[in-house]
Amino acid sequence: MFTTVAKSLNGLPPFLLLQAFALTFSSCSEEKEISSYEISPEYDGPVVAWKLPENWGENPDLSGPMAGSFHIKTELGPSGRIGVMPFREAVSTREVVNMFGRELGYENFDQNSLELILQTKTIGNKSFEWIPLTDQTDPAESRMVLLALLRKEQETWLFPFIADSPLITQEMNNFKKFLKSVVVRAGKVPIRARNPAALPSPPPAQSANGPTWEAPTHWIQGKPSSMRIGSFYVRDENGNELDFSITSFPGDVGGVLANVNRWLSQVGLDKVDESGLASYLSTVEIDGKSAQLLIAENDDKSLYAALLFRDDRSWFFKIMGESSLAKIEKKNFLGFLDTVCFHDH
Amino acid sequence: MPDNKQPRNNRKKSSVGSRRKLLPWLIPFASVRLTLSLLSLSMILIFVATLEQVRIGIRGAQAEFFESFYGIWYYPDQFWGSEFLSSLPIPIPGGYLLGGLLILNLIAAFIVRFQWSSKKIGIQLIHLGIILLLIGQMITQAKQVESRMMINKGETSNYIERFHGVELAFTNVTDASQNQVVAIPQELLEKGGTFNHKDLPFDVRVRKFDRNCEVTIKQPDQSRQGLSKEVNRGVGFTSNLFLKEKEEDYSMDGLNFSFVVFDLINENESMGTWLALTHPAGNHVWESVSPQLADFAFQPLRYQGNLWGMTLRHEREYLPFSITLRSIANEFYQGTEIPFNFESRVTLNLDEKQKRDALVYMNTPLRHGGKTFYQYQMNKAADYSVFQVIRNPSWLLPYLACILVSIGLLWQFSFHLFSFLRKHKSTPRLA
């Protein structure tokens, strides 16, 4: 047998043998390729997945309690804000509603008042608690918060939709489709947001290039929120109070006339038409740009507001409250407007 | 007939002769000089590799000099005459070349030099054993895979992770009953380019992969530079991480943080650029390093109604069985912190019904499914145990080789001993 093998090797040049040897060992290392396989689930975190409507975009600044954060793509840029917030404990509906309600000027809800606004909606195979909230500080304002709460055993998932009312109406079908597509599953590991937390941070356009200002020293700083970029209040010794806010929204938010009429109604004054605007409006300069100044004074309540439209956004600087105190603070309000700076020039 | 009755010795010689005639080119390879030269070169190789180990570590020296056909050595700066010699690249024959030639040399000697007779069968067995040992070593180097399995007390694990080598893994965790994993191995990440797979709904374009880096968390107002600046999604972005490339550390205690910067592509459009970073002790450690970095173990991506987790982790192999860590114990020499014994009591879960208890301790591994589980590390305080897992398809060869060499030696010595005794017996004793 050996002779046969040896004969077959006879005449084989030695370098060929060496080459064969080298090839044998070099081919021993496996050629690597992308592998794909199935495993039993080992991820024990919460699972939250969704399908976004085409005209929605994800906000990159996802932080804090948010598992997801989106905006609606409009001609004027990103608008509105939709969130996905997990709550570890079975948080009560009242607790969540009050958290948002306070921001919108609601008194704290009790069980009875909550039941008046609480609805139940079945979307797909999921049942949601459905709570629409409108801006109470400014009833004529179109700002709105729509809360959808999904209860799952010990887990509650909140989907807040914060936007102007027309936008919410326009996107209602998409919001429902989004809720239908949502997959949520509680995990073993703790979810970061265990308790009701602050509302999602404002869109980057507001926070990144936000203005600065100098407020009078006796103005007391309030808490900024998703609605308010700046917030102050003023009190006198008689308990009279003024509320000052700085807000910003994409677009013109209905235009000057709509906003002026909304504010006039807040202090009990009659609405006006285009020709009547001049009796309330004058021009003021804010950081080198022309803005509209509204002086709306009534017997009990007065409101001063500046409307500035810049970079496709509306900026409102508004102080409102008891008339006598408002008149005293009018000068401070105008002085405040002089200090506003957008740091872009 | 009488012609056929050649003397026995002559017949053997002619057998070697006929083999030489048949394979004349094998004769130079059977040379004893070649054997001695190769052994001398092996000593030089070991000497050089030992010196280089200080500079490039054990893994580096092993890869450069032993797992190659040749290595390049630079004369050490500390040696005499280094001012002239240190810049000179000196080629050193590598382990594969010397080992291969030694095997060839032994086989050639076996064929064209050794007499195949019962008298010499011991020597033949010894050489056969050595050939087998060398072949076994080569197969081991090419095929052996070293991994680790870490288990917390009371928990069960069904996968092992390679000590070296990472993979970019995408896991679809949406389904509560079964998860899909798609993993891109390090070899492909190193090549770069765009990757796609039928089970991955998006493409992955690798911008940069490297085996080590240094990472710092920048303050929110500090800007990132270079490669880090390209990252606009995931932990690398939200934690404002700054990445600095670094040479791979080959030393025993070296900690290498492999990283990959990649884009996910949907219909030729980038969905963003992510950074994935692996922790040398496993990505579960990130959470204790900084809660901000915990997501490196699972960077979420929601895509088309599914939740995918992305991570750059040590290459993982799932096993068809699992191991549960029941208890651990460690003993130290009295009054010292020198370990005397580490042991882990485990249960091997083959399926729902078949379970087997085992005790794994120093030098007493658990063998199952072609893998050997050695006790490697243990942390009694943290209640976990780590096994070194070796898969070596040629693990039996060294044992067979040793048996052959032993039989050969025994045969050869016995043969000589009995010859001597016979001779001694037949010689008349002097009074």
Side-chain angles (χ1 to χ4, degrees):
Chain A
M1 192 186 111
F2 169 77
T3 316
T4 322
V5 176
K7 273 181 178 168
S8 67
L9 287 171
N10 191 15
L12 194 70
F15 74 88
L16 270 183
L17 201 71
L18 265 178
Q19 206 170 27
F21 172 80
L23 275 173
T24 308
F25 280 95
S26 60
S27 65
C28 276
S29 53
E30 293 155 17
E31 187 71 25
K32 291 282 186 175
E33 54 185 29
I34 299 175
S35 56
S36 174
Y37 49 89
E38 285 188 337
I39 54 165
S40 301
E42 55 189 35
Y43 170 69
D44 53 8
V47 171
V48 195
W50 51 72
K51 254 184 196 165
L52 276 195
E54 274 184 14
N55 62 329
W56 287 21
E58 278 198 49
N59 294 326
D61 59 334
L62 192 64
S63 59
M66 304 299 285
S69 174
F70 323 101
H71 60 260
I72 296 148
K73 297 171 196 166
T74 66
E75 285 177 0
L76 298 169
S79 197
R81 200 164 178 88
I82 302 99
V84 180
M85 297 168 75
F87 291 94
R88 187 63 170 168
E89 286 94 3
V91 65
S92 74
T93 309
R94 198 152 58 91
E95 217 175 337
V96 175
V97 173
N98 279 333
M99 182 177 80
F100 284 83
R102 279 194 292 270
E103 294 286 335
L104 294 168
Y106 280 91
E107 293 292 323
N108 273 352
F109 284 90
D110 57 19
Q111 205 52 44
N112 292 332
S113 55
L114 179 66
E115 276 169 17
L116 294 174
I117 55 165
L118 180 65
Q119 306 163 34
T120 305
K121 271 205 194 302
T122 304
I123 299 169
N125 55 0
K126 295 186 271 286
S127 179
F128 292 89
E129 291 174 19
W130 198 263
I131 309 116
L133 299 170
T134 49
D135 192 344
Q136 296 299 299
T137 57
D138 227 346
E141 276 202 30
S142 59
R143 280 177 298 168
M144 190 177 168
V145 173
L146 176 60
L147 302 175
L149 272 159
L150 177 65
R151 300 283 185 183
K152 292 196 83 184
E153 295 179 9
Q154 293 297 305
E155 199 91 8
T156 296
W157 296 86
L158 171 66
F159 304 89
F161 187 176
I162 306 163
D164 288 341
S165 182
L167 190 60
I168 290 186
T169 312
Q170 177 198 308
E171 289 298 316
M172 188 54 75
N173 275 341
N174 278 339
F175 186 53
K176 284 179 182 170
K177 275 184 198 167
F178 162 75
L179 293 177
K180 192 178 174 184
S181 76
V182 162
V183 177
V184 283
R185 201 168 63 243
K188 284 179 194 164
V189 296
I191 296 167
R192 285 174 205 173
R194 291 191 177 85
N195 294 304
L199 281 169
S201 54
Q206 292 172 18
S207 53
N209 302 312
T212 57
W213 52 76
E214 284 173 34
T217 50
H218 65 284
W219 286 18
I220 303 158
Q221 180 116 30
K223 278 188 178 175
S225 69
S226 66
M227 302 285 183
R228 293 180 172 213
I229 290 155
S231 184
F232 295 91
Y233 59 94
V234 195
R235 274 198 198 115
D236 67 9
E237 60 274 17
N238 302 321
N240 296 320
E241 195 171 303
L242 294 178
D243 176 56
F244 175 83
S245 65
I246 304 170
T247 51
S248 174
F249 302 94
D252 67 354
V253 204
V256 176
L257 182 65
N259 282 301
V260 166
N261 278 330
R262 180 158 54 85
W263 288 329
L264 289 177
S265 65
Q266 283 174 21
V267 291
L269 292 170
D270 293 335
K271 290 182 179 179
V272 295
D273 56 17
E274 287 283 351
S275 59
L277 276 177
S279 52
Y280 288 105
L281 289 180
S282 57
T283 309
V284 68
E285 203 168 87
I286 297 176
D287 195 22
K289 287 213 167 181
S290 180
Q292 304 282 332
L293 176 68
L294 171 78
I295 306 288
E297 293 174 330
N298 206 346
D299 296 339
D300 300 331
K301 275 186 168 181
S302 290
L303 184 152
Y304 310 127
L307 295 85
L308 173 67
F309 190 73
R310 50 173 289 144
D311 301 331
D312 295 329
R313 295 188 72 84
S314 298
W315 292 83
F316 301 140
F317 303 85
K318 187 182 85 173
I319 191 164
M320 186 178 84
E322 205 278 328
S323 273
S324 58
L325 183 59
K327 281 169 188 163
I328 295 168
E329 291 297 329
K330 187 176 177 181
K331 195 179 167 191
N332 286 329
F333 171 70
L334 296 172
F336 177 94
L337 296 179
D338 280 340
T339 68
V340 174
C341 179
F342 283 86
H343 303 283
D344 57 354
H345 53 83
Chain B
M1 285 295 282
D3 292 347
N4 290 341
K5 285 188 178 175
Q6 285 179 1
R8 204 181 166 87
N9 214 19
N10 283 351
R11 215 165 52 213
K12 279 167 201 160
K13 276 182 184 165
S14 72
S15 162
V16 173
S18 66
R19 278 181 262 147
R20 284 173 169 241
K21 273 183 188 168
L22 272 171
L23 301 165
W25 54 268
L26 215 50
I27 296 166
F29 289 98
S31 143
V32 180
R33 280 184 189 161
L34 178 64
T35 316
L36 292 173
S37 307
L38 290 173
L39 289 175
S40 308
L41 284 169
S42 300
M43 286 166 71
I44 293 171
L45 172 68
I46 292 167
F47 175 72
V48 167
T50 310
L51 285 180
E52 284 294 272
Q53 192 186 310
V54 179
R55 190 175 64 85
I56 55 175
I58 287 180
R59 274 200 311 121
Q62 202 169 338
E64 175 74 20
F65 295 101
F66 293 109
E67 293 169 0
S68 62
F69 285 92
Y70 71 95
I72 299 293
W73 179 54
Y74 288 91
Y75 193 76
D77 290 337
Q78 299 86 343
F79 281 21
W80 176 86
S82 63
E83 58 270 29
F84 310 109
L85 298 169
S86 63
S87 59
L88 202 70
I90 306 166
I92 302 289
Y96 284 167
L97 183 66
L98 293 181
L101 284 172
L102 268 172
I103 293 172
L104 187 64
N105 175 246
L106 277 172
I107 293 172
F110 204 82
I111 296 169
V112 296
R113 200 148 50 81
F114 293 170
Q115 286 175 14
W116 296 0
S117 65
S118 59
K119 195 179 168 183
K120 302 279 183 186
I121 201 165
I123 290 173
Q124 286 153 8
L125 282 175
I126 292 166
H127 281 83
L128 199 64
I130 294 170
I131 291 170
L132 210 57
L133 203 62
L134 282 166
I135 291 173
Q137 178 54 32
M138 289 217 140
I139 297 175
T140 299
Q141 271 197 333
K143 286 285 188 184
Q144 177 168 285
V145 182
E146 289 186 20
S147 312
R148 68 182 169 204
M149 177 186 258
M150 185 192 150
I151 323 178
N152 291 320
K153 194 173 149 189
E155 291 182 4
T156 301
S157 179
N158 67 341
Y159 64 82
I160 55 177
E161 287 184 320
R162 303 277 181 266
F163 279 105
H164 309 292
V166 295
E167 64 184 10
L168 180 61
F170 297 85
T171 311
N172 184 348
V173 297
T174 320
D175 190 340
S177 58
Q178 201 81 343
N179 288 175
Q180 184 74 40
V181 182
V182 180
I184 306 173
Q186 179 171 320
E187 287 76 359
L188 297 184
L189 297 175
E190 279 175 334
K191 282 181 191 166
T194 304
F195 303 99
N196 50 53
H197 191 275
K198 64 177 175 56
D199 294 328
L200 211 53
F202 39 76
D203 292 353
V204 182
R205 184 169 65 213
V206 173
R207 289 190 181 209
K208 176 81 187 171
F209 170 84
D210 219 329
R211 296 179 184 204
N212 198 11
C213 70
E214 211 174 85
V215 172
T216 43
I217 303 176
K218 290 265 181 188
Q219 293 300 314
D221 56 339
Q222 289 178 298
S223 64
R224 293 167 292 146
Q225 301 297 323
L227 192 64
S228 321
K229 207 177 170 183
E230 295 174 18
V231 177
N232 56 21
R233 297 292 299 271
V235 196
F237 175 71
T238 53
S239 300
N240 207 23
L241 292 186
F242 178 66
L243 203 67
K244 195 175 157 195
E245 288 164 60
K246 204 176 160 188
E247 281 280 304
E248 186 179 9
D249 187 346
Y250 284 103
S251 68
M252 283 288 278
D253 304 325
L255 297 176
N256 291 299
F257 293 81
S258 303
F259 74 90
V260 61
V261 175
F262 62 98
D263 281 17
L264 296 184
I265 313 286
N266 174 33
E267 290 171 2
N268 297 324
E269 258 189 51
S270 172
M271 296 191 282
T273 307
W274 279 262
L275 163 72
L277 188 63
T278 189
H279 196 285
N283 283 345
H284 61 281
V285 180
W286 282 120
E287 194 164 17
S288 53
V289 175
S290 165
Q292 271 180 284
L293 306 179
D295 274 0
F296 273 129
F298 186 94
Q299 291 199 67
L301 171 79
R302 275 126 194 140
Y303 187 76
Q304 293 175 350
N306 289 308
L307 175 63
W308 290 84
M310 304 182 287
T311 185
L312 184 71
R313 65 188 184 193
H314 284 266
E315 196 181 327
R316 200 175 271 196
E317 181 187 342
Y318 282 86
L319 309 172
F321 55 89
S322 63
I323 293 177
T324 307
L325 181 64
R326 297 281 172 216
S327 63
I328 53 176
N330 53 9
E331 296 169 81
F332 294 90
Y333 286 103
Q334 206 170 12
T336 72
E337 288 189 2
I338 302 165
F340 167 69
N341 184 33
F342 287 156
E343 62 178 44
S344 303
R345 192 167 289 280
V346 298
T347 301
L348 180 67
N349 310 299
L350 301 172
D351 55 44
E352 282 299 310
K353 289 177 185 169
Q354 278 197 73
K355 291 177 193 298
R356 193 180 106 200
D357 286 340
L359 188 66
V360 184
Y361 55 98
M362 286 174 169
N363 299 323
T364 305
L366 164 72
R367 290 183 201 276
H368 184 76
K371 291 183 172 61
T372 312
F373 295 77
Y374 294 92
Q375 183 64 60
Y376 179 59
Q377 285 174 340
M378 183 176 285
N379 190 329
K380 190 84 170 69
D383 265 351
Y384 71 78
S385 189
V386 184
F387 301 109
Q388 184 183 31
V389 187
I390 308 286
R391 187 198 72 186
N392 180 9
S394 65
W395 71 277
L396 262 177
L397 285 183
Y399 293 100
L400 286 174
C402 286
I403 291 168
L404 280 177
V405 170
S406 303
I407 293 172
L409 286 169
L410 203 65
W411 180 281
Q412 208 58 32
F413 285 129
S414 307
F415 186 84
H416 284 288
L417 181 68
F418 288 126
S419 301
F420 171 75
L421 288 176
R422 259 202 312 271
K423 206 172 169 184
H424 191 67
K425 206 175 174 183
S426 58
T427 312
R429 285 188 182 183
L430 294 172

